[in-house]
Amino acid sequence: MRNSGYFLAFRSVWKHPAFKTKIEAAIWLYMISNASYKNKEVRFIDDKVFVRRGELVFPLRKNAEIWGIPYSNMRNFIDRLKRKRMIETRKTTIKPQLNHKYGSVTVISICNYDKFQAQAEVVNHLPTKSDAILNNITNTLTNISKGLDKQKDDIIGSWGNYNIIVRKGKKFYKHKWKNEPLKEEM
């Protein structure tokens, strides 16, 4: 399981009018950081719950306990975020367990997740070291002068330091600024 990566957040989040306390702003950042970056099944206790991109499993009672606030305050906070159209919620049915006696759990969908997190791909395309930038420019100029820049790749996304490209119907990873062979998607 991959527990690294990053997400984008505005620095002004701590002063946003939707949040009455710093704890509410922290809960919001927790939601964004734990939202799924792709459609997948996640494990919740002994059940699998399907979440779409920008969604997370968020049991209200358990999170109220974790964050040290009353359940009624957590519920009011979630309702406020829904009224401000920052989130949408849905319930999904699960088997009751000893540590979660309810037959459902709340799944929160962050509105505009794609709009704000899509900027991450733009930022992610930029190398972080000046040497890498220089190498990239040098390699590109060398390839153009040698006529090696014949095949254009269809970039469909990115993952860390790699672009995800499609060639002949197959997905490959290509490092953004290092000249190394393509890695086939697993």
Side-chain angles (χ1 to χ4, degrees), residues 55-81:
E55 290 185 339
L56 73 149
V57 177
F58 194 84
L60 296 183
R61 290 181 195 280
K62 185 66 177 172
N63 274 287
E65 180 184 316
I66 290 168
W67 290 95
I69 62 176
Y71 171 70
S72 60
N73 288 12
M74 179 63 79
R75 194 180 58 235
N76 290 339
F77 172 59
I78 296 300
D79 288 342
R80 188 173 344 115
L81 293 179

Side-chain angles (χ1 to χ4, degrees), residues 68-144:
I69 62 176
Y71 171 70
S72 60
N73 288 12
M74 179 63 79
R75 194 180 58 235
N76 290 339
F77 172 59
I78 296 300
D79 288 342
R80 188 173 344 115
L81 293 179
K82 285 171 34 178
R83 279 192 310 276
K84 292 188 176 285
R85 293 190 173 100
M86 294 172 72
I87 64 168
E88 294 174 354
T89 61
R90 66 180 168 92
K91 296 273 188 181
T92 187
T93 306
I94 60 168
K95 291 178 262 170
Q97 306 289 327
L98 288 175
N99 53 352
H100 189 81
K101 61 184 177 182
Y102 308 100
S104 66
V105 68
T106 303
V107 175
I108 291 183
S109 176
I110 312 257
C111 296
N112 296 323
Y113 181 84
D114 286 332
K115 178 181 173 183
F116 296 114
Q117 296 308 312
Q119 294 175 5
E121 290 180 16
V122 173
V123 171
N124 204 15
H125 284 282
L126 299 174
T128 56
K129 298 178 182 170
S130 59
D131 291 341
I133 295 171
L134 190 57
N135 286 341
N136 191 23
I137 293 169
T138 305
N139 288 342
T140 303
L141 292 174
T142 304
N143 287 344
I144 291 171

Side-chain angles (χ1 to χ4, degrees), residues 3-186:
N3 290 328
S4 63
Y6 61 92
F7 66 96
L8 296 177
F10 289 102
R11 294 176 199 266
S12 61
V13 69
W14 303 105
K15 297 175 185 166
H16 194 282
F19 311 127
K20 292 182 179 178
T21 64
K22 301 280 188 215
I23 290 176
E24 289 182 354
I27 293 169
W28 173 250
L29 289 173
Y30 171 82
M31 287 180 195
I32 294 172
S33 69
N34 283 286
S36 178
Y37 61 91
K38 66 179 182 178
N39 296 347
K40 65 181 179 179
E41 279 189 343
V42 295
R43 203 160 225 356
F44 179 73
I45 307 176
D46 288 334
D47 276 318
K48 288 185 179 178
V49 177
F50 179 77
V51 292
R52 292 183 282 283
R53 177 173 162 82
E55 290 185 339
L56 73 149
V57 177
F58 194 84
L60 296 183
R61 290 181 195 280
K62 185 66 177 172
N63 274 287
E65 180 184 316
I66 290 168
W67 290 95
I69 62 176
Y71 171 70
S72 60
N73 288 12
M74 179 63 79
R75 194 180 58 235
N76 290 339
F77 172 59
I78 296 300
D79 288 342
R80 188 173 344 115
L81 293 179
K82 285 171 34 178
R83 279 192 310 276
K84 292 188 176 285
R85 293 190 173 100
M86 294 172 72
I87 64 168
E88 294 174 354
T89 61
R90 66 180 168 92
K91 296 273 188 181
T92 187
T93 306
I94 60 168
K95 291 178 262 170
Q97 306 289 327
L98 288 175
N99 53 352
H100 189 81
K101 61 184 177 182
Y102 308 100
S104 66
V105 68
T106 303
V107 175
I108 291 183
S109 176
I110 312 257
C111 296
N112 296 323
Y113 181 84
D114 286 332
K115 178 181 173 183
F116 296 114
Q117 296 308 312
Q119 294 175 5
E121 290 180 16
V122 173
V123 171
N124 204 15
H125 284 282
L126 299 174
T128 56
K129 298 178 182 170
S130 59
D131 291 341
I133 295 171
L134 190 57
N135 286 341
N136 191 23
I137 293 169
T138 305
N139 288 342
T140 303
L141 292 174
T142 304
N143 287 344
I144 291 171
S145 67
K146 291 181 179 177
L148 299 175
D149 201 26
K150 297 177 209 167
Q151 184 170 7
K152 291 288 182 194
D153 297 320
D154 292 324
I155 299 173
I156 60 170
S158 66
W159 180 261
N161 292 330
Y162 292 87
N163 286 327
I164 302 170
I165 63 169
V166 175
R167 275 195 190 163
K168 298 180 183 174
K170 287 187 177 181
K171 290 183 183 178
F172 296 90
Y173 290 107
K174 182 177 182 182
H175 203 281
K176 291 181 182 173
W177 60 87
K178 289 182 183 175
N179 191 13
E180 60 185 31
L182 295 176
K183 294 180 182 178
E184 192 166 347
E185 184 182 52
M186 310 262 172

